[in-house]
Amino acid sequence: MDLRLNRVDYIQVGVTSQKTMRLLPPLGKKATQKVAIADHDGILTCFGIKKGEAVPVFKTLPGQKIARMDLGGAAGTPQEKIFVCSGSQVRGFTKKGKQFLTFEANLTESINAMHVSGADLFVCASYIYNHYCDCKDQDYYLSGDKINDITCLSTENLTHLVPVLACQDRVLRVLQRSELAYDIEVPGPPSVLELCKDQGEEILFGTTDGKIGLVEIGELSAATKWEIDNDKKKGGILCIDNYDIIGDGVNDILVGRDDGTVEVYGFDSSNKPTLRFEHVLSESVTSIQGGCVGKESYDEVLTATYTGWVTGLTTEPQKAEAGPGDEVRMSKETQSKVEALRAELEQLQVKVLQGREQYQQTSQSSTAVSAVPVFSINDKFTLCQDDASYSLTLEVQTAIDNLLLQSDVPIDLLDVDKNSAVVSFSECDSEQPNGNFLLATYRCQANTTRIELKVRSIEGQYGTLQAYITPRLQPKTCQVRQYQIKPLSLHQRTHSIDQERPMNRLSLVGQFSFAEIHSWVVFCLPEVPEKTPAGESITFYFHNTFLGTQLEATYCKGEGHFKSDNISTISILSDVLSKEATKKKINLNISYEISDDSVSHTLNMIHPKLEYQLLLARKVQLIDALKELQVHEGNADFLIPEYRNILDESANLLEEYKKQPAHLERLYGMITDLFIDKFKFKGQNVKTKVSSLLEILDNYDLNSLLDFFNEA
């Protein structure tokens, strides 16, 4: 990493959405650029920087929350007209702030993605895509899953405009007029798309699980050029831009993530992206742009964060270094800046004191009514593929005081390195009808606006996880957010499965509609779009992130077929689907085809995980005894290499063991469920033999376990 950038904070506006800040084109080659940013208060602010201070160009009046911003203009001219969308309305402003367009798209839902290209306007709302030319309706498309972003290719090589949609079901959909031309499978749910400024037919994408890639779009098919994995478990991608910040003549990739990480990727001689710079801000980065803002001839990476801070990472040197006894002369500009900041601080302190006194007086008055302060929360509850756990991220516009987690299903809380909050657990009575399995309180340190937690659920146990968020505001208020833990919560959507594996089958036939069975599948499995799919029937593929087993769900009106190599998955589906049908008073005809080979296949898949956890537990048990021996003997040279290795690695082993509480019990539980489910389908109750199974697991050997399953 050879790039040095210095941080400068410019201005704070209201809470911002993804992709709501843009740099207007420069007037000269190295001239500074104006910044346009829109926020949730509906205010569009345009400002420039003079002598390090933000100077407003224009500011619109408050209104409905602004969800997206794009720049446009006639083809071949500077793209300096500002377009913003709020609700189902698109407005256009000149660079001086004069409004020249108000266009009502007449959509039932709010626009969440927008792209402007010449006279063409492309907007998306949840599942709907619309294309307008000169404000006249042109094309329409209904997507199979939620649309997160849109961009459009228009180059000489392509005969027409090619819109590309980033959809939640891990595909990029390439359209031709109102039809789907083809789709491109990507490694995670894509959250953002960005055109490559150098090459016309290439698109950068970022996913919610933190991966980045480049695809080349053709008329009939696309090719993936490269992908960057998220090995370091950083946050999801919220914004991408390309700009030559390094100054080597090749556009670099600027990336903003939802954990506050800002990254710059440069290209090496083999044209592969490599990380050149990284900086971590305290909140999620909603927009990122490359340009020249603070001072002429100095390039910078400009970012906007969730709470509305506009921050620059500039190539301009900021520090003057002095040795002992040296004097540092402050420039007049810096002196006046310091004096202005001091005066502003004093004014703010006076304002705060006045506000406090006023609040004290009104709180004692008998006629005054206490108003609940409104605050916005940005939350995300996603399944992480790597460790089969759910990541819950909460971000509030002011500091969080405390967070209470309550769950009516058994879940484990896992350790997160980034989380500095103090956690305490309360006793729960899960035997009660509406009893809790988990009550945990996180007390946050001062100025914490973002908190990340990890939880792991048990498949087959379903219910609700509730988060009560209390910020440091007066009067004390709290917002509640609910997250559904689904029966097959550890399953994740995938593009295809291995058909060679031994499969168990579950078939349902009954008087139910396509919408009804779809709603049951949505209730059972994550990542299924809530809207009933178009067409007569649908097939979804899933894989279990914990075990690696798979599931295929195909259903239509009146029948549903489910195939899985894990008998417990079929058992859970059977129980939940029949319960849901009973609620609707629908009579179901259920049939099964059980494969005995699938049980040994699943045990073989559990085997490496179980072996690893048993070995880890054994090593951790030995650590204390080995340390005592080491102290007693003065050194560890007399120990065999295996034990010496355990001592050397003791810190890592203990940390890993602490990070995975109840991992072994979880695997034991899965094997026990598998045992009970295998015989449940044969009409036998083997719960009395579970104690013998646990004895075998305590002295684990795969062959003796397989024998026990076959003989029982």
Side-chain angles (χ1 to χ4, degrees):
M1 292 198 206
D2 43 11
L3 184 63
R4 296 196 71 166
L5 300 174
N6 301 301
R7 176 175 169 172
V8 192
D9 290 339
Y10 289 123
I11 187 175
Q12 187 177 21
V13 295
V15 173
T16 63
S17 289
Q18 198 182 351
K19 291 173 90 168
T20 48
M21 178 201 70
R22 296 297 292 264
L23 287 180
L24 300 181
L27 296 171
K29 184 126 199 269
K30 286 283 180 186
T32 58
Q33 293 168 259
K34 302 281 190 285
V35 182
I37 182 166
D39 60 27
H40 283 197
D41 300 328
I43 299 170
L44 167 61
T45 309
C46 181
F47 67 92
I49 303 292
K50 272 194 187 144
K51 294 183 180 172
E53 292 293 313
V55 180
V57 177
F58 71 85
K59 198 173 181 179
T60 66
L61 292 169
Q64 207 176 347
K65 160 184 157 178
I66 295 174
R68 278 293 157 96
M69 175 194 289
D70 202 7
L71 298 180
T77 64
Q79 304 289 295
E80 54 188 19
K81 291 190 165 66
I82 304 162
F83 294 88
V84 293
C85 62
S86 42
S88 62
Q89 190 182 67
V90 177
R91 288 173 297 155
F93 295 86
T94 64
K95 62 178 180 180
K96 294 277 194 289
K98 183 173 181 292
Q99 186 170 337
F100 65 87
L101 171 77
T102 305
F103 172 61
E104 183 57 60
N106 285 329
L107 300 173
T108 49
E109 291 171 336
S110 297
I111 297 170
N112 61 358
M114 171 178 76
H115 182 79
V116 180
S117 172
D120 293 284
L121 168 68
F122 303 88
V123 296
C124 298
S126 292
Y127 300 90
I128 302 162
Y129 151 86
N130 272 313
H131 168 206
Y132 304 94
C133 185
D134 288 326
C135 295
K136 289 190 179 65
D137 213 338
Q138 296 288 318
D139 303 312
Y140 166 87
Y141 177 72
L142 185 64
S143 165
D145 208 334
K146 279 207 171 102
I147 304 168
N148 295 330
D149 201 5
I150 179 171
T151 190
C152 182
L153 295 166
S154 54
T155 64
E156 293 77 46
N157 297 354
L158 298 164
T159 50
H160 51 87
L161 288 170
V162 179
V164 182
L165 311 179
C167 301
Q168 187 65 25
D169 53 356
R170 294 182 167 75
V171 292
L172 306 181
R173 290 186 164 86
V174 180
L175 304 183
Q176 186 173 355
R177 312 264 342 157
S178 296
E179 299 296 320
L180 176 67
Y182 60 90
D183 51 29
I184 309 152
E185 295 177 357
V186 291
S191 50
V192 60
L193 297 174
E194 189 64 40
L195 291 174
C196 263
K197 284 173 188 161
D198 296 344
Q199 294 87 4
E201 285 111 52
E202 291 182 347
I203 287 182
L204 287 160
F205 67 84
T207 69
T208 53
D209 51 5
K211 297 175 182 130
I212 310 162
L214 179 75
V215 288
E216 187 175 7
I217 307 286
E219 288 270 0
L220 303 169
S221 66
T224 304
K225 288 292 193 69
W226 49 258
E227 280 172 10
I228 305 172
D229 246 359
N230 185 14
D231 298 327
K232 293 196 174 159
K233 314 275 184 292
K234 293 175 193 165
I237 313 283
L238 283 181
C239 47
I240 299 179
D241 191 28
N242 39 103
Y243 182 79
D244 181 16
I245 188 84
I246 294 170
D248 56 1
V250 180
N251 273 345
D252 309 308
I253 297 168
L254 317 177
V255 176
R257 295 177 183 265
D258 65 13
D259 62 352
T261 310
V262 178
E263 297 171 324
V264 176
Y265 288 89
F267 288 91
D268 56 18
S269 52
S270 64
N271 225 1
K272 286 276 181 287
T274 50
L275 188 63
R276 293 290 180 83
F277 174 82
E278 185 177 48
H279 180 82
V280 181
L281 300 168
S282 59
E283 51 200 82
S284 59
V285 181
T286 51
S287 307
I288 194 163
Q289 293 275 287
C292 177
V293 179
K295 200 167 184 185
E296 289 171 13
S297 306
Y298 288 107
D299 286 339
E300 63 185 272
V301 176
L302 194 72
T303 60
T305 64
Y306 172 67
T307 60
W309 272 108
V310 179
T311 304
L313 295 164
T314 174
T315 50
E316 183 189 355
Q318 299 285 320
K319 290 177 189 162
E321 293 194 6
D326 290 359
E327 279 188 16
V328 177
R329 289 273 169 88
M330 256 198 217
S331 67
K332 281 195 173 163
E333 194 182 295
T334 316
Q335 276 178 325
S336 62
K337 211 173 175 181
V338 169
E339 280 162 15
L341 281 170
R342 280 197 180 128
E344 196 182 343
L345 257 178
E346 281 169 13
Q347 280 179 340
L348 284 170
Q349 281 169 335
V350 170
K351 257 188 178 176
V352 167
L353 281 170
Q354 285 173 345
R356 277 209 178 124
E357 281 170 17
Q358 202 179 345
Y359 180 68
Q360 288 298 333
Q361 284 167 1
T362 51
S363 63
Q364 284 156 10
S365 136
S366 56
T367 53
V369 178
S370 178
V372 175
V374 178
F375 58 95
S376 62
I377 296 175
N378 182 17
D379 59 340
K380 192 173 130 189
F381 187 62
T382 48
L383 178 59
C384 306
Q385 190 172 340
D386 307 311
D387 54 0
S389 67
Y390 275 90
S391 164
L392 173 60
T393 311
L394 297 159
E395 192 168 17
V396 184
Q397 66 187 102
T398 55
I400 304 171
D401 183 40
N402 64 68
L403 164 72
L404 172 73
L405 274 193
Q406 177 231 345
S407 169
D408 54 9
V409 283
I411 55 170
D412 299 332
L413 282 180
L414 309 180
D415 258 11
V416 177
D417 298 334
K418 297 177 203 165
N419 189 349
S420 57
V422 180
V423 63
S424 50
F425 294 92
S426 306
E427 272 189 36
C428 300
D429 186 4
S430 54
E431 300 302 312
Q432 295 289 329
N434 295 323
N436 293 320
F437 276 92
L438 172 81
L439 276 176
T441 311
Y442 285 86
R443 286 194 306 286
C444 298
Q445 297 188 357
N447 300 329
T448 303
T449 57
R450 186 176 187 279
I451 186 166
E452 193 177 321
L453 317 167
K454 278 203 161 206
V455 297
R456 188 177 284 142
S457 53
I458 298 172
E459 290 213 322
Q461 312 252 14
Y462 53 98
T464 312
L465 171 67
Q466 297 196 100
Y468 297 77
I469 305 116
T470 311
R472 296 189 179 206
L473 288 175
Q474 292 297 337
K476 274 269 183 278
T477 52
C478 165
Q479 271 196 41
V480 187
R481 291 289 164 108
Q482 289 193 337
Y483 309 97
Q484 294 306 318
I485 307 279
K486 305 206 171 186
L488 293 172
S489 54
L490 300 181
H491 278 68
Q492 196 172 46
R493 279 277 293 278
T494 181
H495 297 300
S496 58
I497 58 169
D498 174 11
Q499 297 287 359
E500 300 301 307
R501 294 187 185 179
M503 293 289 210
N504 303 290
R505 286 173 172 75
L506 163 69
S507 298
L508 312 173
V509 180
Q511 295 290 314
F512 48 78
S513 67
F514 190 24
E516 276 171 333
I517 186 165
H518 180 72
S519 71
W520 302 339
V521 173
V522 169
F523 180 77
C524 284
L525 286 146
E527 297 190 9
V528 181
E530 286 182 9
K531 190 177 70 63
T532 308
E536 298 286 308
S537 70
I538 187 80
T539 300
F540 290 120
Y541 299 112
F542 301 88
H543 82 277
N544 183 323
T545 50
F546 193 75
L547 286 183
T549 56
Q550 57 192 28
L551 169 67
E552 178 187 319
T554 304
Y555 52 91
C556 59
K557 181 188 173 185
E559 60 182 284
H561 303 282
F562 301 89
K563 293 196 300 189
S564 173
D565 53 344
N566 184 349
I567 209 165
S568 296
T569 304
I570 293 290
S571 171
I572 293 166
L573 268 173
S574 164
D575 293 348
V576 178
L577 292 173
S578 52
K579 202 177 272 181
E580 288 301 298
T582 309
K583 277 186 201 167
K584 290 268 183 89
K585 298 188 169 60
I586 292 172
N587 195 3
L588 282 188
N589 187 356
I590 303 179
S591 57
Y592 311 100
E593 277 179 49
I594 301 303
S595 160
D596 281 344
D597 295 344
S598 72
V599 177
S600 51
H601 159 80
T602 308
L603 288 173
N604 276 307
M605 290 190 83
I606 296 174
H607 170 68
K609 291 181 174 62
L610 185 58
E611 208 168 34
Y612 178 78
Q613 287 300 327
L614 285 166
L615 192 62
L616 180 67
R618 212 164 288 146
K619 283 179 179 174
V620 168
Q621 278 175 338
L622 286 171
I623 289 172
D624 285 347
L626 290 172
K627 278 187 175 168
E628 212 171 294
L629 272 173
Q630 188 182 15
V631 171
H632 192 66
E633 296 292 332
N635 63 18
D637 297 344
F638 64 94
L639 291 171
I640 58 169
E642 186 194 337
Y643 287 168
R644 279 209 299 273
N645 192 21
I646 291 174
L647 274 177
D648 296 341
E649 293 284 313
S650 61
N652 294 345
L653 291 169
L654 284 166
E655 193 177 322
E656 190 178 348
Y657 193 67
K658 194 176 122 199
K659 266 188 184 170
Q660 309 212 342
H663 208 108
L664 207 53
E665 287 90 69
R666 188 60 63 84
L667 289 165
Y668 279 11
M670 285 179 174
I671 292 171
T672 311
D673 287 346
L674 195 68
F675 180 66
I676 292 168
D677 291 336
K678 176 187 172 176
F679 291 97
K680 183 179 93 173
F681 286 113
K682 292 182 175 177
Q684 297 170 328
N685 186 348
V686 286
K687 286 188 178 167
T688 50
K689 296 183 181 173
V690 168
S691 52
S692 322
L693 174 64
L694 292 174
E695 275 175 36
I696 288 177
L697 288 174
D698 285 338
N699 307 301
Y700 177 69
D701 170 60
L702 179 62
N703 291 329
S704 53
L705 183 65
L706 288 169
D707 291 343
F708 180 79
F709 264 75
N710 293 332
E711 289 162 12

